[in-house]
Amino acid sequence: MNILTFQLMEVVFEQKDASDWIYRGEGAANLVLAYNGSSPAFVGKVLRIQKAPRNGSPRYVSETKDGHSSLTSDECRLWKETEDLVSAPTREIAEQLYVQHVITPLLGPGHVDAGIRVHVSRDFLESVEKNVLCQRPSWRVDAAKVNTLCNAALLISDHSVFPRGSLKDQVCISVEIKPKCGFLPFSKYISEGNVIKKRISRFRMHQSLKFHEREVLEISEYDPLDMFSGSKDRVHKAIKALFVTPQNNFRVFLNGSLIYGGLGGGGDSISHMIGEAFEDVLRSVIRTDDGLRTSNFLHLVAETVFRSGLLDRLLKIQKLDVFDIEGAIHAYYNFISQPCTVCGDLGEDKVSDRYKYLHSLSLDESLKIVRDYLIAATAKDLSMMICFRPWEEEDVESSYSSVFLKSTNQTFDYKVCSIARHHLRTQHLKNAACVTEWCQLKLRMLVHHMVFRNPESMGSYIGSNGSLLTEVVICQASFIDLDMKPLNKMERYYELDQQIVSCYTDITNGEHQVDNSVSIGAYRTAYSDHSNTVEDASHARDPTGNISTYGSLIGVTRRKRRIGLFLCNKESDFQLLLAHLNPHALFTHTAGFLSNLSGSGG
Ligand SMILES: O=P(O)(O)O[C@@H]1[C@@H](OP(=O)(O)O)[C@H](OP(=O)(O)O)[C@H](O)[C@H](OP(=O)(O)O)[C@H]1OP(=O)(O)O
Ligand SMILES: Nc1ncnc2c1ncn2[C@@H]1O[C@H](COP(=O)(O)OP(=O)(O)OP(=O)(O)O)[C@@H](O)[C@H]1O
C-alpha cells in the first residue's frame, strides 16, 4: 500500500463534506458522485457509493445489520485461488480485490482504476442522498436508495475528464459506451428450441423483451456484433446506432457534465443536447465546418474504438463464457451441490446425455466453468470511457504515450507512437512515429489530416495555412463498472435467458407483433428537432383536462390487439402511456384524446 493510499483511507467524509459531491450518474447497484470542491486530493475523482434495493427489488447479496455483506461460503470456494479476495473482511473489499486481481490483469492495468476505499459517515450519506434526490431518475429512486448503513465508499478517478494538471482550462469531451456481449454463443449445450441464440445477438433479443415490458421506448438500432466485428465500417455503424438510440449504452460528457444520453439507465428520459447545440459543443475539439462536427465526432469515436484494440481484449474475456448459461447452470448446481432444477424440470427421460455429461464433471471442473462464466458476465456488463481533448504545446513533454493517427485519402491510419509537435509541423510524420505499447496508462491520439470516407467532409481538417496538421486530439480510455457478479445470480441468468429467447421467438412467430416503426420515426423526429413535436395539440383540445399533463402525442405503437401511445410532455420528456390497453378500452376511456389525435393528424 503506498502512502497516498494509506492517507486517503484515513479520510472520513462527514456531513459538512456532502455539498462538495454532485450527482454524476448511477446504475442498478451504485450511485456515483463527482467532486466539486477544492481539495487537491479529490479533484478529478468520483465517489461510488453503494445503494440498497427498496422492497420488491431483487436482491442477490445479503447484508448484515451494519450494512456490510460478505462473500458466501460458496463464493469463497469459487474465488479460493485469489487468496486475498477470500480473506477480505467485507464483500466490498472483496469486490475491490476482484477488480485488482482478477479483472485488471485481463483488461490491462492501464485502463482500470480499482479505486481506494474511503470512510463515510452516516450523516454524509444521508445528506448526499437528500442533495441528489431531485436529479435521480424516478424509477431509480423507486428501485433503490443510498445504503446509509455502509461506512465506506470507493474513490475512483473521474474517467470523464483528464487527470488533474492536464486539464487546466481545456475542454474535454468524453464518451461512455456500454458495449454488452459482442459474440454469438456457440455452445453445444444450447437447446434446440433456443438455437436462435446462435444467430441473433442477446442484446437484440433482449431489446424485444425490454420493449415488450416497456423498459425502453424503442428498440435500439445498436448491435454489439457490429461493435466487436473488427470491421471499421461496422464499428462506425455501431457508434452511429448508439448515437441514435443511446439508452444506457452511450453517453457523452462535456467536462464531466452529461450532454447526451440518459442519466441513470435505459428507462429514464434522455437528456440530449441536440442539433446545433451539440455541434457547438464539439467546436472546441473537432475543428471543422458547422454541420459536420457531429458526424466527424462519431467517426473519431469509432476510429478510436476500432484502433484501440480494447474491444478485442474485452471480447476475449467475454468469451470465457464457453458453455453459455445453458451449460454453465448445470455446472453451478454441481458446484453448490444442489439438485439441478433445470434437469428436474425436464424430467429424467428428457435429460440429454450432454447434460448428464456436465453433471459428471468434477467439482474443480464445475468451479472453473462457473468462475469463467461470472468473469465473462463482468466483461459483458462493463462500460468504456474515452475522453478527448485538443492537443496542446505543453503535451510535447508530457509522459503520455501517444497514438499517431495518420490518414491517406480515404482512411485513417495510426500507429502507437511518441511524437513531438515540430515533427508534425514539418510534416515529416513517418520519421516522427516510433511505435510503443498500446497498453500505457494514458493515450494520446494525434489526428492528422482527418479525411473521412464521406467525401463531403474531405478537406475539412486542412488548416488555414494549408498544413497537413490540422487537428490533434488527445484521448484516454478506461473501463468502469467491473463488479463481481454474485454467484447466486446464476439462476436469474438462466431464467432471464429463457425469457429473452421466448419473447423473441414469440415475436418472430407473430405472437407479439412489434411494429415500432411509427414510434421510432416519431420519437426520432421529436428529439432531432423539438420544434417538430406536435406542440400541445392534444392539450389545447383536451375536453377533460386529464391528458393535459402529458402534452402531445408523438407516436403510436401497435402490437397484436394492443396499442400504446408515446406522449411528450411540455419539457419534451417522452412517456409511454396506455401501452397494452385493448384499443376498445383505450377508445372508450380516452375518446376525447383520440379525437384530438385525428385532429392533429395522428
Ligand atoms: O442482464 P443484463 O444484460 O440486462 O445486464 C444488467 C444491466 O442491464 P442492461 O445492460 O440495461 O441490459 C443492468 O443495467 P441497468 O440497471 O439496466 O442500467 C445492470 O448493469 C445489471 O448489473 P448489476 O445487477 O447491477 O450487477 C446487469 O446485470 P448482469 O447480467 O450484468 O448481472
Ligand atoms: N470512474 C468514473 N468516472 C466517471 N464516471 C463514472 C465513473 N464510474 C461511474 N461513472 C458514471 O456513473 C454511472 C454509474 O456507474 P456504474 O456503472 O459503476 O454503476 P453501477 O450501479 O455499478 O452500474 P450497473 O447498473 O451496471 O450495475 C456510469 O454509467 C458513469 O456514467
Side-chain angles (χ1 to χ4, degrees):
M1 184 186 307
N2 64 33
I3 290 172
L4 183 66
T5 310
F6 178 76
Q7 283 172 345
L8 285 169
M9 287 184 79
E10 290 301 296
V11 167
V12 182
F13 289 137
E14 309 281 2
Q15 187 174 20
K16 64 178 170 41
D17 303 308
S19 57
D20 287 337
W21 295 91
I22 55 174
Y23 186 75
R24 168 57 62 80
E26 64 188 290
N30 297 282
L31 186 77
V32 176
L33 307 163
Y35 187 64
N36 197 31
S38 54
S39 167
F42 307 120
V43 172
K45 302 280 180 196
V46 297
L47 197 61
R48 193 163 180 252
I49 61 183
Q50 245 185 42
K51 295 195 295 185
R54 293 186 203 272
N55 288 344
S57 301
R59 195 183 188 97
Y60 298 98
V61 176
S62 51
E63 245 167 42
T64 55
K65 268 187 275 168
D66 62 2
H68 287 296
S69 52
S70 49
L71 298 186
T72 62
S73 53
D74 285 336
E75 284 174 321
C76 287
R77 283 195 296 120
L78 186 69
W79 300 109
K80 66 180 182 204
E81 275 176 24
T82 322
E83 229 170 85
D84 289 1
L85 200 148
V86 170
S87 52
T90 66
R91 183 176 198 97
E92 297 83 69
I93 295 175
E95 289 197 341
Q96 193 186 7
L97 293 168
Y98 169 78
V99 176
Q100 251 168 33
H101 299 318
V102 180
I103 295 297
T104 305
L106 294 170
L107 283 173
H111 305 292
V112 178
D113 177 8
I116 294 164
R117 295 189 64 71
V118 291
H119 295 290
V120 288
S121 72
R122 189 170 177 153
D123 287 348
F124 172 81
L125 292 176
E126 283 171 354
S127 291
V128 158
E129 172 149 52
K130 224 163 58 197
N131 296 348
V132 302
L133 188 64
C134 58
Q135 283 157 282
R136 297 183 60 202
S138 56
W139 71 277
R140 286 286 194 201
V141 175
D142 292 345
K145 56 189 174 34
V146 169
N147 182 358
T148 49
L149 294 177
C150 208
N151 63 5
L154 212 52
L155 193 66
I156 320 177
S157 307
D158 183 344
H159 295 306
S160 67
V161 293
F162 280 86
R164 207 177 130 252
S166 57
L167 181 65
K168 299 198 177 148
D169 296 328
Q170 283 174 332
V171 174
C172 169
I173 298 259
S174 55
V175 176
E176 177 181 343
I177 298 171
K178 188 179 192 181
K180 301 299 289 186
C181 179
F183 72 98
L184 293 172
F186 35 80
S187 165
K188 62 179 178 199
Y189 299 104
I190 293 174
S191 65
E192 266 175 40
N194 292 344
V195 77
I196 188 80
K197 282 163 59 173
K198 295 184 177 177
R199 286 197 287 116
I200 312 284
S201 67
R202 181 195 188 262
F203 180 87
R204 294 207 61 174
M205 291 197 284
H206 198 182
Q207 282 288 306
S208 298
L209 177 67
K210 286 183 175 186
F211 186 71
H212 183 65
E213 296 191 333
R214 286 169 280 160
E215 270 183 52
V216 294
L217 285 175
E218 62 173 320
I219 290 180
S220 175
E221 292 193 4
Y222 170 66
D223 189 339
L225 299 185
D226 290 324
M227 185 69 103
F228 288 87
S229 64
S231 143
K232 193 197 281 196
D233 286 347
R234 286 182 67 188
V235 172
H236 187 211
K237 180 177 171 218
I239 299 291
K240 283 194 291 185
L242 286 173
F243 188 74
V244 172
T245 40
Q247 295 188 3
N248 64 348
N249 304 99
F250 186 77
R251 295 183 181 90
V252 182
F253 298 86
L254 170 67
N255 293 335
S257 300
L258 182 76
I259 56 169
Y260 197 86
L263 256 183
D268 57 320
S269 61
I270 291 173
S271 86
H272 287 317
M273 181 175 269
I274 51 168
E276 280 180 26
F278 194 68
E279 280 274 310
D280 275 355
V281 166
L282 294 181
R283 190 188 299 270
S284 43
V285 177
I286 305 284
R287 286 160 200 154
T288 186
D289 294 339
D290 287 348
L292 294 175
R293 279 189 283 272
T294 304
S295 65
N296 283 349
F297 175 65
L298 298 181
H299 262 289
L300 177 62
V301 174
E303 192 70 27
T304 310
V305 167
F306 175 73
R307 293 285 173 181
S308 70
L310 291 179
L311 288 182
D312 302 339
R313 192 173 289 206
L314 185 55
L315 190 59
K316 273 197 191 135
I317 308 171
Q318 293 187 350
K319 284 187 173 173
L320 286 174
D321 168 16
V322 178
F323 288 74
D324 188 76
I325 189 61
E326 291 189 53
I329 192 73
H330 300 276
Y332 167 72
Y333 285 113
N334 292 345
F335 180 69
I336 61 167
S337 305
Q338 295 284 325
C340 175
T341 59
V342 176
C343 291
D345 289 347
L346 281 173
E348 179 65 28
D349 48 333
K350 288 207 180 128
V351 174
S352 70
D353 287 346
R354 276 177 293 187
Y355 299 151
K356 283 180 186 154
Y357 165 76
L358 284 175
H359 286 297
S360 72
L361 294 176
S362 71
L363 262 188
D364 274 353
E365 286 164 325
S366 302
L367 177 152
K368 183 171 173 357
I369 294 172
V370 176
R371 195 187 51 205
D372 285 352
Y373 183 86
L374 291 178
I375 295 172
T378 297
K380 292 175 192 174
D381 194 42
L382 58 70
S383 298
M384 300 190 304
M385 293 202 80
I386 307 171
C387 36
F388 302 91
R389 69 176 165 89
W391 193 84
E392 296 294 339
E393 198 77 43
E394 69 210 48
D395 292 315
V396 173
E397 302 305 329
S398 77
S399 59
Y400 292 135
S401 63
S402 305
V403 181
F404 176 63
L405 188 65
K406 170 178 148 181
S407 74
T408 63
N409 272 348
Q410 293 264 300
T411 56
F412 278 89
D413 194 7
Y414 77 78
K415 289 174 182 168
V416 183
C417 67
S418 65
I419 197 160
R421 190 177 174 93
H422 73 273
H423 285 122
L424 287 166
R425 286 227 168 101
T426 51
Q427 301 181 19
H428 295 313
L429 294 160
K430 281 186 187 153
N431 300 341
C434 72
V435 179
T436 62
E437 285 295 311
W438 164 264
C439 57
Q440 300 281 341
L441 191 59
K442 279 110 194 173
L443 301 170
R444 283 193 308 176
M445 190 170 69
L446 307 180
V447 182
H448 170 253
H449 191 188
M450 297 175 81
V451 181
F452 297 106
R453 287 188 185 280
N454 175 4
E456 284 163 33
S457 67
M458 280 180 71
S460 54
Y461 286 89
I462 296 177
S464 54
N465 62 359
S467 141
L468 283 178
L469 171 63
T470 56
E471 177 70 35
V472 178
V473 179
I474 297 182
C475 85
Q476 171 190 315
S478 315
F479 290 107
I480 59 168
D481 194 5
L482 307 167
D483 294 334
M484 170 200 277
K485 301 293 177 181
L487 175 63
N488 65 358
K489 228 184 161 181
M490 290 295 286
E491 285 170 348
R492 170 63 188 147
Y493 289 144
Y494 182 77
E495 283 160 18
L496 181 60
D497 183 67
Q498 300 294 305
Q499 217 184 336
I500 288 172
V501 178
S502 119
C503 179
Y504 188 81
T505 313
D506 285 353
I507 286 165
T508 47
N509 291 342
E511 291 292 313
H512 314 298
Q513 210 88 55
V514 178
D515 174 1
N516 64 343
S517 53
V518 182
S519 63
I520 288 178
Y523 173 73
R524 201 166 294 141
T525 309
Y527 94 66
S528 60
D529 180 356
H530 280 202
S531 65
N532 283 350
T533 53
V534 188
E535 184 46 48
D536 260 354
S538 61
H539 177 198
R541 286 180 238 161
D542 174 22
T544 63
N546 288 340
I547 298 293
S548 61
T549 47
Y550 291 103
S552 311
L553 176 87
I554 60 158
V556 180
T557 176
R558 177 167 48 79
R559 300 183 202 129
K560 200 179 182 185
R561 294 193 303 280
R562 299 183 189 283
I563 69 173
L565 306 179
F566 288 105
L567 299 174
C568 170
N569 72 13
K570 288 182 196 142
E571 286 78 45
S572 299
D573 208 355
F574 302 108
Q575 310 267 350
L576 176 61
L577 184 77
L578 304 174
H580 283 269
L581 280 181
N582 177 303
H584 177 71
L586 179 70
F587 197 87
T588 314
H589 294 297
T590 59
F593 179 69
L594 287 174
S595 72
N596 294 331
L597 198 159
S598 56
S600 64

